[in-house]
Amino acid sequence: MSPARTPVIIDCDPGIDDAIALFLAFASPELEIAGICAVAGNVGINRAADNAARLAQLIGVPETVPVVRGHAGPVARVRRLPDEPVHGAGGLGGVDLPEATRPPHPGHAVDWMAEQLERRPGEFTLIALGPLTNVAALLHTRPDLRAAVREIVLMGGAAFAPGNVTPAAEFNFYADPEAARYVAETGVPLRIVPLDATRKALTPLEDAQTLERDGAPVTSAAGRMLRHLVERHSARSGVAACAVHDALAVAAAVQPDLLEWTEASVTVECTGEFTRGALVADVHQRTGQARNALVATGVDAAAFRELLLSRLRRYSRQDP
Amino acid sequence: MSPARTPVIIDCDPGIDDAIALFLAFASPELEIAGICAVAGNVGINRAADNAARLAQLIGVPETVPVVRGHAGPVARVRRLPDEPVHGAGGLGGVDLPEATRPPHPGHAVDWMAEQLERRPGEFTLIALGPLTNVAALLHTRPDLRAAVREIVLMGGAAFAPGNVTPAAEFNFYADPEAARYVAETGVPLRIVPLDATRKALTPLEDAQTLERDGAPVTSAAGRMLRHLVERHSARSGVAACAVHDALAVAAAVQPDLLEWTEASVTVECTGEFTRGALVADVHQRTGQARNALVATGVDAAAFRELLLSRLRRYSRQDP
Amino acid sequence: MSPARTPVIIDCDPGIDDAIALFLAFASPELEIAGICAVAGNVGINRAADNAARLAQLIGVPETVPVVRGHAGPVARVRRLPDEPVHGAGGLGGVDLPEATRPPHPGHAVDWMAEQLERRPGEFTLIALGPLTNVAALLHTRPDLRAAVREIVLMGGAAFAPGNVTPAAEFNFYADPEAARYVAETGVPLRIVPLDATRKALTPLEDAQTLERDGAPVTSAAGRMLRHLVERHSARSGVAACAVHDALAVAAAVQPDLLEWTEASVTVECTGEFTRGALVADVHQRTGQARNALVATGVDAAAFRELLLSRLRRYSRQDP
Amino acid sequence: MSPARTPVIIDCDPGIDDAIALFLAFASPELEIAGICAVAGNVGINRAADNAARLAQLIGVPETVPVVRGHAGPVARVRRLPDEPVHGAGGLGGVDLPEATRPPHPGHAVDWMAEQLERRPGEFTLIALGPLTNVAALLHTRPDLRAAVREIVLMGGAAFAPGNVTPAAEFNFYADPEAARYVAETGVPLRIVPLDATRKALTPLEDAQTLERDGAPVTSAAGRMLRHLVERHSARSGVAACAVHDALAVAAAVQPDLLEWTEASVTVECTGEFTRGALVADVHQRTGQARNALVATGVDAAAFRELLLSRLRRYSRQDP
Ligand SMILES: [Ca+2]
Ligand SMILES: [Ca+2]
Ligand SMILES: [Ca+2]
Ligand SMILES: [Ca+2]
């Protein structure tokens, strides 16, 4: 008898690493994915929803697992950050995917998530791979459903590592600091996968090439996207490898003990001149605040590499 | 032929002055009131929704004009301000109103407002008498409907006058500064009725007494509530009169030229150590930002007093 | 027997209104002026010190009353605001004054002020007409001398009036908010003359012309400077009159009951996104902080006009 | 011929680790120490100046190397942080040192430092071991002397490590964030030794015991102080070892290549709700700001341990 699968909802803003994260998630029998929500972040909401739908189609996600459009910008600023250039044209590293044929889901991501939580209270893990706008809006609109969320596993923040937008802030948190803070304040169980962890779990060029050569639709798309990321990263740092941030957050839901978790009281700075969007993690209990999160500060990089590669290659076996 | 009535939605957090504002609104033929939304503010959302329903029943509002429950706290903080003590037990100055018999409206205020705007784009004025949480959430969730709002008339802020929560901030803005800033940033046409205006339009004890003596249900409730406010204010200031903030905002929708309006570029401070929630009004075009609001800086106090009293006395004539 | 004269030290950043303020001060027998300190503000420190020396020479201030150079920029930022364009070329409205022949005072304004306070503890009123950098540095460097200051009378801030640099902040406070906050926090007795008062005490073009026609060196220089201010102001506002901010602060030291004073607990916002440099005046005791200042919120404008004009004309009588 | 010694001025707030740092500095022939300045920080200014004098006497520092009293609190707040409890009674871990017999130096630390820089421009390295109040005040009061400082080596901040006062801030920076920011903004060459480095260079209980057993006055005082620190640290963390923060900064001046230096553009957050006092280090050039500091991110811990122990034991050899 197979072990119980974890019911999850994936909220994302694809984005290359979101795409890899979706590939990983749908190749992981540990997860039962109820649906994919889109949020503005790496790209605008139209692009994010469209990319999510195209990715779902490429993967072969059945229409019973909907792709639902969410918020177009952060909760507390009318203007959102411009698209992240690292994700290239279209947000998927220049990889063109066939247009999605499934009709757009009519509802709003926040409402759809609320329905799922109502139907199966206490069961769902939310995997949040973009700005936390949808998740915060859900917890704000439906405070009664906070207790119905089993856990939130999110990619975001830089606890004791440099940010990737500003010296202090990572993209997802910087794009909507008030949402990130809100989520942290609710007290919903939280696993945070920050840059501290993702930068320690690099995917080498070699793996991108292996996947690209495979030739099956998902593996080769994954390969090309990863190669795009590696090349961007390599141009900056000289290292022919890249972090695949969001995929590590999915891995954290699939196999939590791949990562090293530190209990902390966390919040997000919303008002700093230089630190807006910074994840503030109290790991030494200096504030006296209750611990409200597990923060990934380490990772078994080899095991993650192995997990990612082996799971992505399942798309190859399915497509002989 | 009677002139066209202005279609309005009233978003409120009753609160005594919200109650008087509702009395004034429903006695004003200039307005066509589509519904009443409740938001947490002077009182929590349960009390706000219940008070709104009781007030609607007292006024005799038909069930086709719904009372719809909205957000329970601000958009960017999990904790809301405590109830405003000035409004007394129950939030209506200790005045007990009969329980509402209408069934609660099933939807959320934000969704309901969105439906109204979709059905009659460009027609509605939103009259916002509490924290701007519902309004900001509407404009955030449905950016496509921003253009469908004819105007927002709101009570909030203190431009060039002392605040009433902190030295710099008025209650509605302080209770949800991010929402107030968001609304201002959207560029939806805005009329702001700040403390600068409301403190110049005092209702004297005499009017409260006149109303209370009248004996009809609405007038005497209004009289008792106003007396409560006057007494609270009088204990502080020695002046036997009180501002009825929200009622002035309704008056601004009923008869805009009762007030003196100054064009300004406005925003709301969200990050100050002492100024969080402050309305920042650029009336001298120092910032180079486009003007996005009319700010009421003066009022014909006598005309407002006359308007309020005469309209409230209509409840007397209807009840012989 | 003549009444005792108030020993004062004037700290300034001339600046046109500083110049008029100095003219007023030295024509006022109520004051015993021990020296003039210069601080960067309307102009840089070199210009401020040089202008102060030239003004002293024009007035005929004896060398026993020194002009002492102080700080070149604010206490907490390496960069200072650019020179105020309203003061025109050279900072004195384009009026060229003869070079000062007195040798520069060798010390630093902060040290010199400390010496005066040590020699005559409890006697001096500091009249601060520029950013509060020198004054804050004095109170910081020599906390033991805080009690030796009789009172600080300062021009700065906008309590319930629009700022003149940003919508929320006046120049002197905006130029060094940390200094202004520091001074307020020390608890030294404080009289603040903010824009609320100075904008109500306008000097009309007529007075500028009267002085200019007089022909005596000081009066005609004063007339030309005031005309410059009036013209600048008139171009903006259409009103042929101008506030002479710093002169009103000197008048407040000469004749305090020219102004209406409100007791308040004051501080200065240093961290706002839109409100940095704002004077925060708690006049209704909302904060529970002890009152630490008298804030001028009103002025007898006619009496000030009369005082200023009549005192400036004394330079005419001295020069027949 | 011996190599040139580096002329240094040590600014400190003793404090145990300051004491050890002074012991190390005076035992290091690489340094030519012109004087010791005291600043409020771990303890108040009276205690800091007195502890510095007692330490100088214990060490046998000649009176030609003065101990000069500086600022009593931060540049931008009237209230300073309370004394650091980790330093124990008296600030030196409960170790009583004989009263200093040298007369107090009459001047102020800022003036004295300015004199040194004037006399030997371009020669001095400032070693700053406390809040940066004195150093910032020097660079503010005498901008002409910024170019006369050869380098500032300072202990302070937490770049990519948890703070020790708040989750984001280290004590010296938190105690005077505006001063720290000011120093960084001046562009004076800067070496920053943050907690990132000091926490990697622990002194074990064993070394404390070795020194304590030695019996010579300095070594045994050092041993007892270090044991106090180890015990405090051990109670918290279970590790019988302690960081000796300030001593590592002295080591950085003595032997810079003990540490690993990363070029960065640094500033200090002064306005955050949770991040006030945070060192913000841009090591990936995200801000486009010029690099203005070398930040120690690594250390050869064994070599530091060896350096510290061997140098402290020189006090033993001097005292047979
Ligand atoms: Ca993402
Ligand atoms: Ca209200
Ligand atoms: Ca001035
Ligand atoms: Ca220290």
Side-chain angles (χ1 to χ4, degrees):
Chain A
M1 194 191 109
S2 75
R5 299 166 82 199
T6 304
V8 303
I9 292 167
I10 300 180
D11 187 74
C12 60
D13 60 334
I16 297 178
D17 57 334
D18 301 77
I20 307 296
L22 288 172
F23 297 156
L24 172 58
F26 281 98
S28 292
E30 295 88 346
L31 306 184
E32 176 210 336
I33 304 168
I36 303 168
C37 295
V39 68
N42 292 329
V43 294
I45 186 59
N46 289 338
R47 177 76 73 180
D50 185 52
N51 280 350
R54 288 172 188 241
L55 289 162
Q57 178 158 303
L58 183 74
I59 295 169
V61 175
E63 291 195 15
T64 50
V65 176
V67 172
V68 197
R69 179 191 167 94
H71 279 294
V75 300
R77 292 286 184 279
V78 168
R79 264 175 226 156
R80 70 174 192 90
L81 288 190
D83 288 359
E84 266 290 87
V86 73
H87 294 273
L92 297 177
V95 176
D96 274 328
L97 300 179
E99 223 171 296
T101 54
R102 62 165 71 193
H105 189 278
H108 191 284
V110 170
D111 297 326
W112 182 83
M113 286 196 279
E115 280 163 37
Q116 307 313 306
L117 294 170
E118 277 179 329
R119 287 196 307 135
R120 299 169 64 184
E123 296 191 19
F124 280 107
T125 293
L126 306 184
I127 303 180
L129 307 176
L132 288 153
T133 319
N134 287 346
V135 179
L138 169 69
L139 303 176
H140 176 240
T141 307
R142 295 295 304 274
D144 57 308
L145 291 176
R146 289 177 197 164
V149 178
R150 187 160 161 267
E151 187 174 38
I152 296 169
V153 178
L154 68 89
M155 193 279 129
F160 306 113
N164 58 2
V165 182
T166 71
E170 175 274 342
F171 179 82
N172 285 344
F173 276 31
Y174 191 70
D176 198 347
E178 282 81 7
R181 174 175 174 171
Y182 196 95
V183 170
E185 281 186 359
T186 58
V188 173
L190 211 57
R191 281 186 196 264
I192 298 178
V193 180
L195 295 180
D196 306 58
T198 65
R199 287 215 187 97
K200 290 175 188 153
L202 300 187
T203 294
L205 179 58
E206 184 190 335
D207 291 5
Q209 290 168 330
T210 301
L211 290 164
E212 199 171 354
R213 273 195 305 268
D214 179 274
V218 171
T219 48
S220 78
R224 276 177 292 153
M225 290 177 195
L226 286 169
R227 187 161 46 80
H228 175 92
L229 273 192
V230 170
E231 283 163 3
R232 295 289 296 230
H233 189 251
S234 170
R236 263 198 106 123
S237 71
V239 177
C242 67
V244 193
H245 312 291
D246 292 344
L248 188 61
V250 167
V254 167
Q255 204 172 312
D257 49 14
L258 268 185
L259 296 105
E260 192 179 310
W261 300 97
T262 304
E263 270 196 301
S265 166
V266 305
T267 189
V268 178
E269 177 64 68
C270 293
T271 74
E273 183 174 355
F274 305 111
T275 55
R276 183 165 159 80
L279 167 60
V280 179
D282 184 8
V283 294
H284 290 150
Q285 299 233 258
R286 296 207 177 271
T287 58
Q289 298 292 307
R291 285 151 169 167
N292 60 347
L294 294 169
V295 179
T297 49
V299 56
D300 181 336
F304 170 68
R305 182 184 166 191
E306 162 61 19
L307 176 78
L308 182 62
L309 195 62
S310 65
R311 292 288 163 95
L312 292 180
R313 295 178 93 168
R314 293 189 180 191
Y315 290 101
S316 170
R317 289 199 297 272
Q318 288 163 354
D319 195 49
Chain B
M1 194 190 108
S2 75
R5 300 165 81 197
T6 303
V8 304
I9 292 167
I10 300 179
D11 188 74
C12 60
D13 61 332
I16 297 179
D17 55 336
D18 300 78
I20 306 296
L22 288 172
F23 296 157
L24 172 58
F26 281 98
S28 292
E30 296 87 345
L31 306 183
E32 176 208 335
I33 304 168
I36 302 168
C37 295
V39 68
N42 291 330
V43 295
I45 185 62
N46 289 338
R47 178 73 74 177
D50 185 51
N51 280 350
R54 289 172 188 242
L55 289 162
Q57 177 158 304
L58 183 73
I59 295 170
V61 176
E63 291 195 14
T64 52
V65 175
V67 172
V68 197
R69 179 191 166 94
H71 278 295
V75 299
R77 293 287 184 278
V78 168
R79 263 174 228 159
R80 70 172 194 92
L81 290 189
D83 288 359
E84 267 290 86
V86 73
H87 295 273
L92 297 177
V95 176
D96 274 328
L97 300 179
E99 223 172 295
T101 54
R102 60 165 72 194
H105 189 277
H108 191 284
V110 170
D111 297 327
W112 182 83
M113 284 196 279
E115 280 163 36
Q116 306 313 306
L117 293 171
E118 277 179 329
R119 288 198 307 134
R120 299 170 65 184
E123 296 190 19
F124 280 107
T125 294
L126 306 184
I127 302 180
L129 308 177
L132 287 153
T133 319
N134 287 346
V135 179
L138 169 69
L139 302 176
H140 177 241
T141 307
R142 294 295 303 273
D144 57 307
L145 291 176
R146 288 176 198 165
V149 178
R150 187 161 161 267
E151 189 175 36
I152 297 168
V153 178
L154 68 88
M155 193 282 129
F160 307 112
N164 58 2
V165 181
T166 70
E170 175 274 343
F171 179 82
N172 285 344
F173 277 30
Y174 191 72
D176 198 347
E178 283 81 7
R181 176 177 174 170
Y182 196 95
V183 169
E185 281 187 357
T186 58
V188 173
L190 212 58
R191 281 183 195 265
I192 299 177
V193 180
L195 296 180
D196 306 60
T198 65
R199 287 214 186 98
K200 291 174 187 153
L202 301 187
T203 294
L205 179 58
E206 184 190 335
D207 291 4
Q209 291 168 329
T210 300
L211 291 163
E212 199 171 355
R213 275 195 305 267
D214 179 273
V218 172
T219 47
S220 77
R224 275 176 292 152
M225 291 177 193
L226 287 169
R227 187 160 49 79
H228 175 90
L229 274 192
V230 169
E231 282 162 4
R232 296 289 295 230
H233 189 251
S234 169
R236 263 198 107 122
S237 70
V239 177
C242 67
V244 192
H245 311 291
D246 292 344
L248 189 61
V250 167
V254 167
Q255 204 172 314
D257 48 14
L258 267 184
L259 296 105
E260 192 179 310
W261 299 98
T262 304
E263 271 196 300
S265 166
V266 305
T267 189
V268 177
E269 178 65 68
C270 293
T271 74
E273 183 173 355
F274 305 111
T275 55
R276 184 166 156 80
L279 167 60
V280 179
D282 183 9
V283 294
H284 291 151
Q285 299 234 259
R286 296 207 177 271
T287 58
Q289 298 292 308
R291 285 153 169 164
N292 61 346
L294 294 170
V295 179
T297 48
V299 56
D300 181 338
F304 171 68
R305 182 183 167 194
E306 162 60 21
L307 177 79
L308 182 60
L309 194 62
S310 63
R311 293 288 164 94
L312 292 180
R313 296 177 92 169
R314 293 190 181 192
Y315 290 100
S316 168
R317 289 199 297 270
Q318 289 163 354
D319 197 49
Chain C
M1 193 190 108
S2 75
R5 299 166 81 198
T6 304
V8 303
I9 292 167
I10 300 180
D11 188 72
C12 59
D13 60 334
I16 297 179
D17 56 334
D18 300 77
I20 306 296
L22 289 172
F23 296 157
L24 172 58
F26 281 98
S28 292
E30 295 88 345
L31 306 184
E32 176 209 335
I33 304 168
I36 303 168
C37 295
V39 68
N42 292 329
V43 295
I45 185 60
N46 289 339
R47 177 75 73 179
D50 185 51
N51 280 350
R54 288 172 188 241
L55 289 162
Q57 177 158 305
L58 183 74
I59 295 169
V61 176
E63 291 194 14
T64 50
V65 176
V67 172
V68 197
R69 179 191 167 94
H71 279 295
V75 298
R77 292 286 183 280
V78 168
R79 262 173 228 158
R80 71 172 192 92
L81 288 189
D83 288 359
E84 266 289 87
V86 74
H87 294 273
L92 296 177
V95 176
D96 273 329
L97 300 179
E99 224 172 295
T101 53
R102 62 164 73 192
H105 189 277
H108 191 284
V110 170
D111 298 327
W112 182 83
M113 286 195 279
E115 280 163 37
Q116 307 313 307
L117 293 170
E118 277 179 329
R119 288 197 307 136
R120 301 169 63 182
E123 296 191 20
F124 280 107
T125 294
L126 306 184
I127 303 180
L129 307 177
L132 287 153
T133 319
N134 287 347
V135 179
L138 168 70
L139 302 176
H140 176 241
T141 307
R142 294 295 303 273
D144 57 307
L145 290 176
R146 288 177 198 165
V149 179
R150 187 161 162 267
E151 187 175 37
I152 297 169
V153 178
L154 68 89
M155 193 281 130
F160 306 113
N164 58 2
V165 182
T166 71
E170 176 274 341
F171 180 81
N172 285 343
F173 277 30
Y174 191 71
D176 198 347
E178 283 81 7
R181 175 175 174 170
Y182 195 96
V183 170
E185 282 187 357
T186 57
V188 173
L190 211 57
R191 281 185 196 264
I192 298 178
V193 180
L195 295 180
D196 306 59
T198 65
R199 288 215 186 96
K200 291 175 187 153
L202 301 187
T203 294
L205 179 58
E206 185 189 334
D207 291 4
Q209 289 168 330
T210 300
L211 290 163
E212 198 171 355
R213 273 195 306 267
D214 179 273
V218 170
T219 48
S220 78
R224 276 177 291 154
M225 290 176 194
L226 287 169
R227 188 160 48 79
H228 175 91
L229 273 192
V230 169
E231 284 162 2
R232 296 289 295 230
H233 190 251
S234 170
R236 261 197 108 123
S237 71
V239 177
C242 67
V244 193
H245 311 290
D246 292 344
L248 188 62
V250 167
V254 168
Q255 204 173 312
D257 48 14
L258 267 184
L259 296 106
E260 192 179 311
W261 299 98
T262 304
E263 269 196 303
S265 166
V266 304
T267 188
V268 178
E269 178 64 67
C270 294
T271 74
E273 183 174 354
F274 305 110
T275 53
R276 183 166 158 80
L279 167 60
V280 179
D282 184 9
V283 294
H284 291 151
Q285 300 234 257
R286 296 207 176 272
T287 58
Q289 298 292 308
R291 284 153 170 166
N292 60 346
L294 293 170
V295 178
T297 49
V299 56
D300 182 337
F304 171 67
R305 182 183 165 192
E306 162 60 21
L307 176 79
L308 182 61
L309 193 63
S310 64
R311 292 289 164 94
L312 292 180
R313 294 177 94 169
R314 293 191 182 193
Y315 290 102
S316 171
R317 289 199 298 271
Q318 288 164 355
D319 194 48
Chain D
M1 196 190 108
S2 76
R5 299 167 82 197
T6 303
V8 303
I9 293 167
I10 299 179
D11 187 74
C12 60
D13 60 333
I16 298 179
D17 57 335
D18 300 77
I20 307 296
L22 288 172
F23 296 156
L24 172 58
F26 282 98
S28 292
E30 296 87 346
L31 306 184
E32 176 210 334
I33 303 167
I36 303 168
C37 295
V39 68
N42 292 330
V43 294
I45 186 60
N46 289 339
R47 178 74 73 179
D50 185 51
N51 280 350
R54 287 172 188 243
L55 289 162
Q57 177 158 304
L58 183 74
I59 295 169
V61 176
E63 291 196 15
T64 51
V65 175
V67 171
V68 197
R69 177 191 168 93
H71 279 294
V75 299
R77 292 286 184 279
V78 168
R79 262 173 228 159
R80 71 174 193 91
L81 289 189
D83 288 359
E84 267 290 87
V86 73
H87 294 274
L92 297 176
V95 176
D96 275 327
L97 300 178
E99 223 171 297
T101 54
R102 62 166 71 193
H105 189 277
H108 191 283
V110 171
D111 298 327
W112 181 84
M113 285 195 279
E115 279 163 37
Q116 307 313 307
L117 293 171
E118 278 179 329
R119 287 197 308 135
R120 299 171 63 184
E123 295 190 22
F124 280 107
T125 292
L126 306 184
I127 302 179
L129 307 177
L132 286 153
T133 319
N134 287 347
V135 179
L138 169 69
L139 302 176
H140 176 241
T141 307
R142 295 294 305 271
D144 57 307
L145 290 176
R146 289 175 198 166
V149 179
R150 187 161 162 267
E151 189 174 36
I152 297 168
V153 177
L154 68 88
M155 193 282 131
F160 307 113
N164 59 2
V165 183
T166 70
E170 174 275 342
F171 179 81
N172 285 344
F173 277 30
Y174 191 71
D176 198 347
E178 282 81 7
R181 175 176 174 169
Y182 196 96
V183 170
E185 281 186 357
T186 58
V188 172
L190 212 58
R191 280 184 196 266
I192 298 178
V193 180
L195 295 181
D196 306 58
T198 65
R199 287 216 186 96
K200 292 175 187 153
L202 301 186
T203 293
L205 178 58
E206 184 190 335
D207 291 4
Q209 290 168 330
T210 301
L211 290 163
E212 199 172 354
R213 276 194 306 266
D214 179 90
V218 171
T219 47
S220 78
R224 275 176 291 152
M225 291 177 194
L226 286 169
R227 187 160 49 79
H228 176 91
L229 274 192
V230 170
E231 283 163 2
R232 294 290 294 230
H233 189 251
S234 170
R236 261 199 108 120
S237 70
V239 178
C242 67
V244 193
H245 312 291
D246 292 344
L248 188 61
V250 167
V254 166
Q255 204 172 314
D257 48 13
L258 266 185
L259 296 106
E260 191 179 310
W261 299 98
T262 304
E263 270 196 302
S265 165
V266 305
T267 189
V268 178
E269 178 64 68
C270 294
T271 74
E273 182 173 354
F274 305 111
T275 54
R276 184 165 157 80
L279 167 59
V280 179
D282 184 9
V283 294
H284 290 151
Q285 299 234 258
R286 296 205 177 273
T287 58
Q289 298 292 308
R291 286 154 169 162
N292 60 347
L294 294 170
V295 179
T297 48
V299 57
D300 182 337
F304 171 68
R305 182 183 167 192
E306 162 60 20
L307 177 79
L308 182 60
L309 194 61
S310 64
R311 292 289 164 93
L312 292 180
R313 296 178 92 168
R314 293 191 181 191
Y315 291 101
S316 169
R317 289 199 298 270
Q318 290 163 354
D319 196 48

